[in-house]
Amino acid sequence: MQNIRSSPPLLVLLLCLSLVSEPALGATPPGWTDSGANFTAGTLGDSGQNLYVNRRGELETIRHYDIDGDGWLDLFFNSTHDTYNAVPAALATATGTSVGVTMLGVDGSSRVVPHDLNQDGYTDLVFMPNQQNIQKQRASVSIAWGSAAGWSVSRLIRQLPVNGAASLDVGDFDGDGWPDIATLNSEGWQHGQGHGNIVRIFRGSADGFFLANYQDLGIPAGIEVVAGSFGPDRDLKVAVVTSTGLVHYLAPGTDGTLHIARTLSLPVTTAPGASASKPTCAAVQPATGAAGDLLWIGTDSPALFRVGAGEQDDVKTFQAKPATHVALGHLDDDPWPDVVLTRLDLVYPLDPEPRDFSSSVTVLWGSAEGVSIDASSSLGIANAFSTCIGDLNADGHRDLAVAVHQGTESMKASSQIFFGDGSRRLPATGVAVATEGARGVAIAKPSPQSKPVAIFANSQRATLDSAVPVRLYWGGSDGFSTNAMVDIPNLSGYKSSLSDLNSDGHMDLIVINAGDVGPETLARAPDAGINIYWGGPEGRIKGPGPTRFDFDRRQILRELRLGSINVADLNNDGFLDIVLGAFEGPGQRFGNSIRHETELVIYLGASDGFSKERRKAITVPDRSIGCLIADFNRDGRLDIIVGGYLTNQVFTFWGGKDGYSAANQSVLPYTSPIDLEAADFNNDGWLDLVVAAYEDSVSHTHDAGLSVFWGGPAGWKQSTSQWLPGMTPVGIAVADLDGDGFLDIVSPHYHGELSREHMPSYIFWGAADGFAARRRTSLTVDSASEVTIADFDKDGKLDLAFAAHSVDPGHVTDSPIFYNDGNRFKSPRTTFVPVIGPHYGWVQDIGNIRTRRNEENFTSRILAFDTTSAGGRITVDAATPHGSRVALNVRSGAGEAALASAPWRQVSDGSFELAAGDRALQYRLDLLSANGDAYPIVRKVTVKLK
């Protein structure tokens, strides 16, 4: 919107008619001037959902979409995160102390175990999958088969499904001569799997591995699975360590099926009243004699356990350092194995206090008695995740490889190789190996004749703290392109809003940070929370129009895990208020349940802006996502609706004379509500509510669709609703896309079952009978999370700009803009713009909330008079930017009671008439926008009778 202070006023002059009878000589004709308080005494259309009387006493719309005010609508993508998970593994080889790196395209991994699985003399690599971008824990183990030429994607398989895999090892568990693969997974995800974390064993054979040839075994609280030959008879083949201090040893039965053959309890509590040591990691020390292998178990305390033959009295406790990873090997040249403990403590560049990572990696040098903290060496490596010992440069002395999880600004890091010389002296610094999100490392030779290779399991590419810029595309006659694009530094954007918050004639931009911003991020990031960019005539962030922004001219309100924003003048004081909803935190235990309370936050506006002193909060027993504002019960007050995903409820906080409270709310049951929208689809005067389901809250499938709850005096009920299909609909929007007079619903689809790319987003076409599940058009979008409906090219037809959140590997993709072909989008012209993991765009659809037409209206106070008049004169003083205009209607009657039933009469030629008996009248201003953004701003209305 252009600066209203420089806008030329519109003087709407209506014909001045003569009176039926002349007034007495010298009598003054009745007249009224409306602005400020007199506007407040009138009626705002839709109870002020998108229209208010601003602090200057003018009628002004609230929500806007043209950021720089040049008359073209802009596209704003709230980039939430840029994570990308299909990261290749790094293969490092050494010549002397120089290291070269090649990549192996395993599409992301978190651990690697070398083993000759098919016994052909070449080492194969078994990769545990990383956390995938698909919001399911299902992923697959990858095997890179070895050959004389090393490892290649041409010999890579990935068909062994696991679920939330946290640990993996390899060994011949059933004694058939072929190595098997053991994985430790999440709690049971399939019927009949048993209780606890599932140990899934893929059985090896001469024909390799097959997804159907496995065994599942439930182990409560399992954290680590380790292969070996344990026990005095070496007959225990797998050890499963639990966080509760138990070690379960598995052995094969006569049919080769594994079962728990022995359970050992660790002495996790060493003194009365002392806190228990919680096991966190484990590694095996192969036996050198007839006795079984040893098991070393690290904990979250200064206690390290060595477990011998599997008996209770064969556990020795060593004083050590807390650890998240433990590795075994001969790092020096003596005969005693050494233990390397890694304690992961992620270091961020904006940490308010320096982190002490001076002993993040501790080497406990071995002796005949075991290990001692007194004989140890420390390496200060920020963000070290794991280690392994091996002779990488084949000089006869073993080296230490350290996988470093992240760097100072992103997951790009320098993992380290410390080349050993046989002594207990390690180099002061290691040789860097470029990695991304490295979590695991192993050293192996592809073949007996090959050079050793350090394999780093890279898990993720990302910017730390989700510090990715929000992306703005300026609209124009040439459409949207990177030639007219601005990236604004930000921290995990989620939703945004554009309004003239301080009534200075320039739009102000609000960007909220998403659920990624928790307490730790908030503590170290001074910009986290709500960023309000105050618009003005100057600034470094600028487009073609007159409004500009600047980093130095913004306000930051500190809030956690935000998920929603809306703006309205809730208390009708002339100052816009900000409404915020949030994602849940980790939760607190109340009795036998976990509660995830959030707050619905309202910042009340005032002459000096927004402050914590005017922050009002209502406790919500769940997420407070949606923040849909409208008058749903038609009592003249705005209501606020949020969705509670975890408790399967939609909460409506009803507006009242004393504001909003938890005591004045209604609850609508609904499965996993994630998005809300409203419109009057059936033209009955009541707003209908659209609720989208993220998933089926029982099966966790993504096909729960959306529902239209038909509004009415009795409120929303399941029995007066219609269901429509959808796959995690997010960012629903409404408009009459085909111009047939019926509103249509666009349902962007965010997530399928095992894929989120190339998803069909639906347009449900409205008709006299409502909607039909199969009366729809499908448009392909990658994980659509929002759609903005507007006439971007000004051809008179509404277009669709989607926010594409993600492809399957991660969050760097392109968002499509479908230009309306006038044929229900059967062959739309389509352009794409690059985006970085955006979620929602603007908080509210363009257009009136009931009709989606580009109009808002205002009905004046009742103007009463006691003389006979045949007509009069109305003057409207208004700014009319970018082709906006004011349309007038009047109604009159014998008195106030008669006005309610009096018909509105359009004023088309500048005149209105009054009947001889009329003694009261009202005018209605229809504020019409040409582009859906710029509306008239009415300064004053003068009515004078003659």
Side-chain angles (χ1 to χ4, degrees):
M1 176 178 291
Q2 68 189 52
N3 190 325
I4 63 171
R5 295 192 184 278
S6 61
S7 300
L10 168 70
L11 297 179
V12 182
L13 300 178
L14 301 184
L15 183 62
C16 177
L17 298 180
S18 62
L19 297 174
V20 172
S21 59
E22 293 291 335
L25 184 63
T28 302
W32 303 266
T33 297
D34 282 358
S35 66
N38 289 334
F39 281 154
T40 303
T43 302
L44 300 169
D46 301 302
S47 303
Q49 196 272 343
N50 192 35
L51 184 67
Y52 82 119
V53 181
N54 67 26
R55 66 184 70 184
R56 296 195 307 269
E58 303 163 338
L59 289 170
E60 183 177 7
T61 53
I62 297 172
R63 298 173 189 86
H64 294 269
Y65 313 90
D66 174 10
I67 296 176
D68 63 338
D70 69 343
W72 292 89
L73 302 191
D74 308 307
L75 283 182
F76 196 79
F77 292 99
N78 292 288
S79 309
T80 307
H81 31 231
D82 62 352
T83 55
Y84 190 83
N85 297 59
V87 187
L91 308 181
T93 55
T95 302
T97 57
S98 299
V99 174
V101 178
T102 59
M103 309 306 288
L104 178 63
V106 295
D107 285 352
S109 56
S110 58
R111 187 174 294 192
V112 58
V113 177
H115 206 99
D116 184 2
L117 299 173
N118 57 1
Q119 302 184 40
D120 64 352
Y122 300 110
T123 301
D124 312 306
L125 301 179
V126 184
F127 288 94
M128 187 172 77
N130 57 336
Q131 178 63 48
Q132 299 295 303
N133 185 40
I134 305 301
Q135 292 181 354
K136 298 285 187 183
Q137 296 193 70
R138 187 180 190 274
S140 292
V141 172
S142 298
I143 299 174
W145 298 98
S147 70
W151 302 291
S152 164
V153 292
S154 65
R155 291 167 60 88
L156 180 70
I157 67 167
R158 189 166 56 234
Q159 287 182 307
L160 304 179
V162 291
N163 200 77
S167 180
L168 178 148
D169 211 346
V170 178
D172 181 8
F173 308 138
D174 54 9
D176 67 351
W178 295 100
D180 311 304
I181 299 173
T183 62
L184 181 66
N185 300 268
S186 67
E187 292 187 347
W189 65 96
Q190 292 177 332
H191 179 71
Q193 283 185 310
H195 177 62
N197 295 87
I198 302 303
V199 176
R200 173 165 286 189
I201 308 292
F202 291 103
R203 302 184 183 96
S205 70
D207 295 319
F209 297 87
F210 296 93
L211 61 85
N213 188 14
Y214 68 88
Q215 175 195 350
D216 282 348
L217 184 68
I219 304 290
I223 59 165
E224 191 84 71
V225 59
V226 180
S229 295
F230 305 103
D233 300 323
R234 302 176 64 91
D235 57 339
L236 308 176
K237 297 302 182 182
V238 178
V240 183
V241 181
T242 74
S243 61
T244 56
L246 300 178
V247 180
H248 299 288
Y249 289 98
L250 311 184
T254 56
D255 60 353
T257 301
L258 293 176
H259 63 279
I260 297 176
R262 184 177 299 169
T263 296
L264 177 147
S265 295
L266 298 171
V268 292
T269 302
T270 57
S275 59
S277 296
K278 184 178 179 180
T280 55
C281 51
V284 66
Q285 177 186 336
T288 56
D293 300 338
L294 300 178
L295 190 65
W296 291 81
I297 300 173
T299 72
D300 63 352
S301 71
L304 174 68
F305 299 118
R306 187 187 68 186
V307 183
E311 302 292 346
Q312 180 69 45
D313 58 3
D314 196 18
V315 179
K316 185 169 184 179
T317 303
F318 296 93
Q319 184 181 1
K321 296 287 184 70
T324 53
H325 182 269
V326 58
L328 273 294
H330 292 268
L331 189 51
D332 60 0
D333 288 348
D334 68 17
W336 313 111
D338 309 307
V339 179
V340 185
L341 303 178
T342 303
R343 183 180 185 181
L344 178 65
D345 186 12
L346 297 179
V347 178
Y348 289 84
L350 295 177
D351 282 336
E353 299 293 336
R355 300 285 185 99
D356 180 12
F357 54 88
S358 58
S359 58
S360 58
V361 177
T362 301
V363 180
L364 302 176
W365 300 104
S367 67
E369 290 76 30
V371 294
S372 171
I373 195 67
D374 297 327
S376 63
S377 301
S378 294
L379 297 172
I381 304 175
N383 306 316
F385 199 97
S386 64
T387 66
C388 74
I389 297 172
D391 186 3
L392 182 61
N393 59 0
D395 67 350
H397 304 297
R398 289 175 177 84
D399 313 308
L400 180 67
V402 182
V404 177
H405 187 58
Q406 64 190 43
T408 58
E409 295 183 354
S410 72
M411 302 299 280
K412 291 183 178 180
S414 294
S415 290
Q416 303 287 314
I417 304 292
F418 292 86
F419 290 102
D421 61 4
S423 71
R424 292 186 173 183
R425 296 185 304 273
L426 294 174
T429 58
V431 177
V433 178
T435 55
E436 286 189 281
R439 297 172 68 94
V441 59
I443 296 176
K445 296 176 69 172
S447 70
Q449 296 77 33
S450 303
K451 295 176 63 175
V453 179
I455 308 102
F456 290 88
N458 290 326
S459 67
Q460 192 176 77
R461 178 178 302 146
T463 302
L464 298 185
D465 284 331
S466 297
V468 293
V470 291
R471 180 160 288 180
L472 166 58
Y473 286 94
W474 302 111
S477 59
D478 296 330
F480 301 101
S481 76
T482 54
N483 296 324
M485 180 190 82
V486 176
D487 278 349
I488 304 174
N490 193 59
L491 207 66
S492 188
Y494 199 71
K495 285 187 178 181
S496 54
S497 180
L498 186 70
S499 298
D500 186 358
L501 298 172
N502 55 5
S503 296
D504 67 349
H506 293 282
M507 291 302 113
D508 307 304
L509 175 64
I510 309 176
V511 181
I512 64 169
N513 297 149
D516 291 1
V517 178
E520 291 185 355
T521 304
L522 194 72
R524 61 175 172 261
D527 296 345
I530 310 167
N531 280 237
I532 304 176
Y533 287 87
W534 298 102
E538 303 295 334
R540 290 170 286 176
I541 305 170
K542 57 186 179 181
T547 294
R548 299 180 176 184
F549 305 87
D550 202 281
F551 299 107
D552 298 331
R553 195 173 64 245
R554 60 177 167 152
Q555 181 180 3
I556 298 167
L557 300 173
R558 310 280 278 167
E559 294 287 344
L560 281 174
R561 300 189 182 93
L562 294 175
S564 295
I565 181 174
N566 212 328
V567 174
D569 183 5
L570 297 173
N571 53 6
N572 298 313
D573 65 351
F575 299 99
L576 291 177
D577 311 310
I578 298 175
V579 182
L580 302 165
F583 288 95
E584 73 281 357
Q588 296 178 322
R589 181 168 292 280
F590 291 80
N592 294 322
S593 63
I594 298 292
R595 291 172 61 178
H596 297 272
E597 294 181 341
T598 64
E599 290 180 330
L600 176 65
V601 174
I602 300 172
Y603 279 92
L604 294 173
S607 59
D608 58 347
F610 304 96
S611 70
K612 287 286 186 180
E613 287 70 31
R614 290 185 297 276
R615 180 186 187 272
K616 309 295 182 182
I618 304 168
T619 299
V620 180
D622 199 341
R623 292 183 185 178
S624 46
I625 299 299
C627 290
L628 180 62
I629 298 177
D631 181 5
F632 294 100
N633 58 1
R634 291 173 40 175
D635 67 350
R637 296 187 176 98
L638 294 174
D639 312 306
I640 304 173
I641 304 183
V642 297
Y645 166 82
L646 298 174
T647 58
N648 301 306
Q649 297 177 101
V650 175
F651 305 96
T652 301
F653 295 92
W654 301 104
K657 61 182 178 62
D658 297 322
Y660 303 87
S661 71
N664 187 20
Q665 66 167 303
S666 298
V667 176
L668 173 68
Y670 199 80
T671 183
S672 305
I674 194 63
D675 199 24
L676 305 165
E677 194 49 84
D680 184 3
F681 294 108
N682 55 6
N683 297 314
D684 66 351
W686 291 87
L687 283 173
D688 309 307
L689 180 66
V690 183
V691 185
Y694 191 86
E695 64 178 8
D696 175 331
S697 58
V698 176
S699 68
H700 301 292
T701 53
H702 292 269
D703 60 349
L706 59 95
S707 294
V708 179
F709 289 87
W710 304 106
W716 300 301
K717 300 179 182 299
Q718 190 181 70
S719 57
T720 54
S721 70
Q722 178 182 12
W723 179 85
L724 294 170
M727 293 153 283
T728 306
V730 174
I732 292 167
V734 174
D736 182 4
L737 292 169
D738 55 1
D740 66 352
F742 299 101
L743 291 175
D744 312 306
I745 298 175
V746 184
S747 178
H749 292 156
Y750 183 70
H751 209 294
E753 293 313 307
L754 294 175
S755 179
R756 61 194 310 178
E757 61 185 40
H758 306 312
M759 297 280 294
S761 289
Y762 294 157
I763 304 173
F764 293 105
W765 299 103
D769 60 348
F771 301 95
R774 293 291 167 182
R775 189 169 62 226
R776 70 191 191 216
T777 296
S778 295
L779 298 172
T780 301
V781 187
D782 291 326
S783 186
S785 60
E786 172 70 290
V787 61
T788 300
I789 305 176
D791 182 5
F792 295 112
D793 56 1
K794 298 187 178 181
D795 68 349
K797 298 187 292 292
L798 293 173
D799 312 309
L800 304 176
F802 283 87
H805 181 67
S806 175
V807 289
D808 285 350
H811 295 87
V812 180
T813 184
D814 296 316
S815 282
I817 303 163
F818 297 99
Y819 290 93
N820 198 326
D821 60 356
N823 192 25
R824 289 193 166 183
F825 289 87
K826 290 183 178 178
S827 301
R829 174 172 60 91
T830 308
T831 61
F832 292 86
V833 292
V835 292
I836 310 169
H839 272 104
Y840 294 87
W842 300 120
V843 66
Q844 177 66 52
D845 286 354
I846 296 173
N848 178 274
I849 193 168
R850 287 181 299 106
T851 66
R852 292 307 193 273
R853 291 193 292 269
N854 293 338
E855 65 178 35
E856 300 292 343
N857 62 72
F858 168 77
T859 302
S860 75
R861 61 191 173 122
I862 295 174
L863 308 177
F865 50 96
D866 57 7
T867 61
T868 300
S869 176
R873 178 188 183 93
I874 300 180
T875 301
V876 179
D877 179 6
T880 55
H882 301 301
S884 60
R885 62 189 179 90
V886 179
L888 281 166
N889 293 268
V890 296
R891 65 182 178 184
S892 57
E896 179 177 343
L899 285 180
S901 59
W904 287 103
R905 307 189 300 275
Q906 185 176 0
V907 179
S908 59
D909 61 352
S911 67
F912 67 92
E913 297 179 352
L914 294 175
D918 287 347
R919 292 297 181 268
L921 69 87
Q922 285 179 296
Y923 64 84
R924 190 185 76 210
L925 306 180
D926 291 337
L927 310 180
L928 307 177
S929 173
N931 64 359
D933 169 85
Y935 284 82
I937 300 175
V938 181
R939 303 182 181 106
K940 183 171 62 174
V941 177
T942 302
V943 180
K944 189 176 288 288
L945 300 184
K946 294 185 78 172

